[in-house]
Amino acid sequence: MDATVEMNMEKGFNGENCAPNIQERLQKRNQARIEDAERKKETKQSQSVAEEKGEYFSNAFNTERACIDELLSNCSGADRAVVTQKLEEATAKTLQLQKFLSDSILFLTPYELSKAQAALQKLQSSIAETREEAMPKKKFAFRGRTKASDKVSAKASAAAPRDSAVTKVDGAPNPKQCGFTNMSNELLTKTAEEVLNQDMLLTHLTNCKVRLYGTPSTLHLKHIDNCEILCGPVSTSVFVDHCSNSTLVFPCQQLRTHHTTNTQVYLHVTSRAIIEDCHGVSFAPFSWSYPTLHEDFAVSGLNRDTNNWSQVDDFNWLAAGTPSPNWSVLREEDRKTFL
Amino acid sequence: MGLRTILKKMKQKEREMRLLMLGLDNAGKTTILKKFNGEDITTISPTLGFNIKTLEHKGFKLNIWDVGGQKSLRSYWRNYFESTDGLVWVVDSADRLRLEDCRQELSALLLEERLAGATLLVFANKQDLPGALSKEAIKDALALDEIKSHHWCIIDCSAVTGEHLLAGVDWLLDDIAARIFTSD
């Protein structure tokens, strides 16, 4: 630069030498400009990461997706162990892809994002489909205890599909659970010793009168029709499901009532009672007295002075202010006392 | 330093975790939450909506969401999925009749993409009841062995006595911490 300036000063007034001089200067300036642009480009490149480009993302995403698709398509017809391994790999890859997408959210356009999400969802469902196809779910069931000697053969056959002789959970008898099931037209009672701290289960009872003296830990009633069920203080929760035309009498901490119609509940509840999918359920205060009731209350730990029997929450009726049409307070003249 | 690293560092600084507690109604979710927090459990009502509790444990700040499990509330569970670090699935181990329901609800949850990164802790609750199934039986009934998409663990516990609640939560925190705070 200095040289140019000097030259300018020396020959500044010399018209002949002016032209090449200017040309030279222009050339130098142009050179500098190009270098500057180059430098800027370089710094910009060093700052931005190749991974944070929509194009890079969609390329990587699609490659990975194709890879998973291929894994899945190889599953049909393959043997079980191979399928398991391939499915596992596909699931892991899908998870990775999901993570990749979550990490890339910031620089993706909403369109690219939703496209990728849809693709992922499709992958997940096709994994599920392939799994369903290749290895149908094992049905859970309780079986009799296998003896030690049987265990080896049981293990050997574990990979094979279970036979159809297994019983479903619903019908499984449980030696440890206390209660009554599949009875009609009977008077059923249990003593305080039998009931103490048990989880009581009463199912499929019709036209029965049930008296449970004492304090169970919890009580479940299911598929009850036209029964009168009286129970001592239940220290935790009572769960009622599919009960109709019946009378239920008990103290408890919580009561959940489902799918119940035309039923009267004589209740002592220390927290709250709720109903869900019920019609025509009416509530009254607990009114059964038997000789050891007072002691049983003490054993259960329930507070005898707190009874919220009339504060029922209906999960199908959340409008505050208007009372639910699904339950009512039983009129005093219609209430009974049980002995 | 990528954005992810920055976010990770921020989270690490706060050491905050969001836990979502779900399960069928009457499983004992609220009782677990209150017992863990040392509160009275004799006045708990069926949850009409949700409870949220923020507590400190092992140097972490835990935001625990306990959402009601009644059938009519289950469709709202999805509203709580966002940024969940750990899912606590609570099972009434004595309620054999609804185990199949329980399995279905859980497997539907595990397909949720917003829960894809969450660690799963299954509490086989109510072990204080004589009729309670063992955690092995619950594991089979819920087909937990088939879960490949999530880190999971099953712990048998009793919310009433408090047994194993701590063990479960500790496992969950360790797993989440290993995932978000230390892996790089």
Side-chain angles (χ1 to χ4, degrees):
Chain A
M1 260 322 213
D2 283 350
T4 328
V5 175
E6 244 170 69
M7 248 174 13
N8 267 342
M9 285 175 61
E10 274 173 48
K11 300 173 183 174
F13 300 101
N14 189 335
E16 278 171 347
N17 290 334
C18 223
N21 197 15
I22 285 173
Q23 208 172 11
E24 199 181 334
R25 279 172 64 195
L26 279 176
Q27 216 159 19
K28 286 211 171 177
R29 274 183 66 180
N30 192 31
Q31 190 68 32
R33 196 176 52 78
I34 289 171
E35 273 170 21
D36 198 39
E38 202 76 26
R39 214 176 23 250
K40 272 190 185 155
K41 209 169 141 193
E42 252 171 52
T43 48
K44 205 176 158 194
Q45 244 168 9
S46 72
Q47 272 168 358
S48 83
V49 184
E51 280 81 5
E52 293 188 1
K53 289 253 170 63
E55 204 180 327
Y56 171 85
F57 172 80
S58 59
N59 280 343
F61 189 89
N62 286 331
T63 323
E64 197 60 12
R65 200 180 64 169
C67 178
I68 297 171
D69 270 335
E70 185 169 336
L71 267 178
L72 288 181
S73 65
N74 286 343
C75 278
S76 59
D79 92 36
R80 203 186 161 88
V82 177
V83 172
T84 315
Q85 186 239 326
K86 280 205 192 305
L87 276 178
E88 231 170 273
E89 200 179 326
T91 313
K93 273 184 186 284
T94 311
L95 266 185
Q96 258 174 11
L97 204 53
Q98 171 77 55
K99 207 155 165 278
F100 177 48
L101 174 61
S102 321
D103 290 343
S104 310
I105 279 173
L106 266 185
F107 60 86
L108 289 180
T109 63
Y111 171 70
E112 286 170 317
L113 182 63
S114 65
K115 226 175 66 173
Q117 267 165 348
L120 263 177
Q121 207 135 45
K122 224 181 113 204
L123 273 182
Q124 263 157 356
S125 58
S126 55
I127 289 179
E129 257 171 49
T130 316
R131 175 168 292 145
E132 199 60 41
E133 224 173 82
M135 29 189 173
K137 279 244 162 59
K138 283 186 264 177
K139 281 236 170 66
F140 170 75
F142 293 99
R143 287 162 303 160
R145 281 179 191 221
T146 42
K147 286 178 207 140
S149 57
D150 295 338
K151 267 192 181 153
V152 183
S153 60
K155 257 186 198 157
S157 63
R162 303 275 171 88
D163 55 4
S164 54
V166 289
T167 45
K168 273 191 73 193
V169 181
D170 266 30
N174 171 18
K176 275 192 268 171
Q177 197 146 28
C178 178
F180 299 108
T181 183
N182 291 317
M183 309 258 199
S184 47
N185 311 307
E186 296 212 43
L187 173 63
L188 308 164
T189 57
K190 289 245 184 238
T191 63
E193 295 76 49
E194 290 175 293
V195 162
L196 182 68
N197 293 334
Q198 292 291 322
D199 42 327
M200 300 291 302
L201 176 65
L202 310 182
T203 58
H204 298 281
L205 302 184
T206 316
N207 301 322
C208 289
K209 287 196 171 202
V210 183
R211 299 287 183 275
L212 307 173
Y213 298 93
T215 56
S217 186
T218 168
L219 172 66
H220 280 233
L221 309 176
K222 204 164 184 178
H223 300 294
I224 304 292
D225 186 35
N226 205 21
C227 292
E228 186 184 271
I229 297 173
L230 280 62
C231 181
V234 181
S235 39
T236 64
S237 65
V238 174
F239 193 92
V240 179
D241 202 2
H242 293 284
C243 179
S244 53
N245 314 311
S246 297
T247 303
L248 312 176
V249 187
F250 45 72
C252 61
Q253 191 213 322
Q254 297 181 344
L255 169 65
R256 290 177 176 84
T257 317
H258 300 264
H259 308 103
T260 291
T261 51
N262 189 30
T263 289
Q264 280 114 46
V265 186
Y266 292 80
L267 182 66
H268 182 108
V269 63
T270 56
S271 74
R272 285 296 181 107
I274 68 106
I275 61 171
E276 188 176 47
D277 305 321
C278 293
H279 293 288
V281 184
S282 51
F283 289 86
F286 177 72
S287 62
W288 181 31
S289 62
Y290 60 90
T292 57
L293 180 66
H294 187 73
E295 290 83 349
D296 287 351
F297 255 104
V299 171
S300 72
L302 294 180
N303 184 345
R304 213 171 171 174
D305 300 327
T306 312
N307 187 359
N308 298 320
W309 66 274
S310 63
Q311 296 174 43
V312 179
D313 291 319
D314 181 356
F315 276 75
N316 306 105
W317 192 264
L318 299 177
T322 349
S324 157
N326 300 322
W327 69 276
S328 59
V329 169
L330 193 62
R331 291 194 311 176
E332 273 185 54
E333 54 266 42
D334 296 335
R335 293 179 195 167
K336 287 191 276 187
T337 329
F338 302 86
L339 288 169
Chain B
M1 184 157 54
L3 183 77
R4 211 163 78 84
T5 328
I6 298 173
L7 286 176
K8 234 184 222 171
K9 291 240 159 96
M10 274 168 62
K11 225 172 176 183
Q12 183 164 25
K13 213 173 191 179
E14 291 163 13
R15 289 176 80 76
E16 205 172 318
M17 287 182 191
R18 182 181 155 114
L19 307 183
L20 177 60
M21 192 140 69
L22 298 175
L24 302 188
D25 49 323
N26 200 37
K29 297 176 289 297
T30 310
T31 310
I32 286 181
L33 182 61
K34 297 222 167 178
K35 186 76 182 185
F36 189 74
N37 204 28
E39 292 174 57
D40 179 23
I41 58 165
T42 61
T43 56
I44 297 169
S45 299
T47 306
L48 197 73
F50 67 90
N51 302 304
I52 173 168
K53 202 129 270 163
T54 302
L55 44 99
E56 295 272 335
H57 183 60
K58 289 178 86 179
F60 293 107
K61 186 176 163 197
L62 308 181
N63 295 314
I64 309 182
W65 295 73
D66 153 36
V67 186
Q70 306 295 330
K71 219 175 209 151
S72 39
L73 292 181
R74 290 178 206 163
S75 55
Y76 299 105
W77 283 356
R78 67 181 77 230
N79 300 345
Y80 301 86
F81 292 165
E82 212 63 61
S83 52
T84 293
D85 298 307
L87 175 64
V88 183
W89 182 254
V90 184
V91 183
D92 174 352
S93 306
D95 189 357
R96 289 148 199 263
L97 300 184
R98 291 198 300 161
L99 271 180
E100 178 54 25
D101 262 9
C102 186
R103 186 192 64 76
Q104 280 173 12
E105 293 286 356
L106 175 61
S107 67
L109 276 183
L110 296 181
L111 294 176
E112 284 290 341
E113 63 178 293
R114 280 175 297 164
L115 293 176
T119 301
L120 171 67
L121 168 67
V122 178
F123 265 137
N125 191 26
K126 306 206 185 182
Q127 292 294 327
D128 54 295
L129 297 178
L133 290 165
S134 69
K135 70 173 175 184
E136 282 73 27
I138 300 288
K139 187 178 82 178
D140 289 348
L142 301 185
L144 296 183
D145 280 327
E146 287 177 24
I147 299 173
K148 309 292 180 203
S149 49
H150 296 68
H151 288 191
W152 62 270
C153 177
I154 181 166
I155 303 271
D156 45 346
C157 75
S158 163
V160 174
T161 64
E163 188 194 18
H164 291 172
L165 290 186
L166 211 56
V169 175
D170 284 352
W171 175 84
L172 188 62
L173 296 199
D174 287 345
D175 187 82
I176 296 171
R179 203 155 40 75
I180 29 182
F181 298 141
T182 48
S183 74
D184 251 316

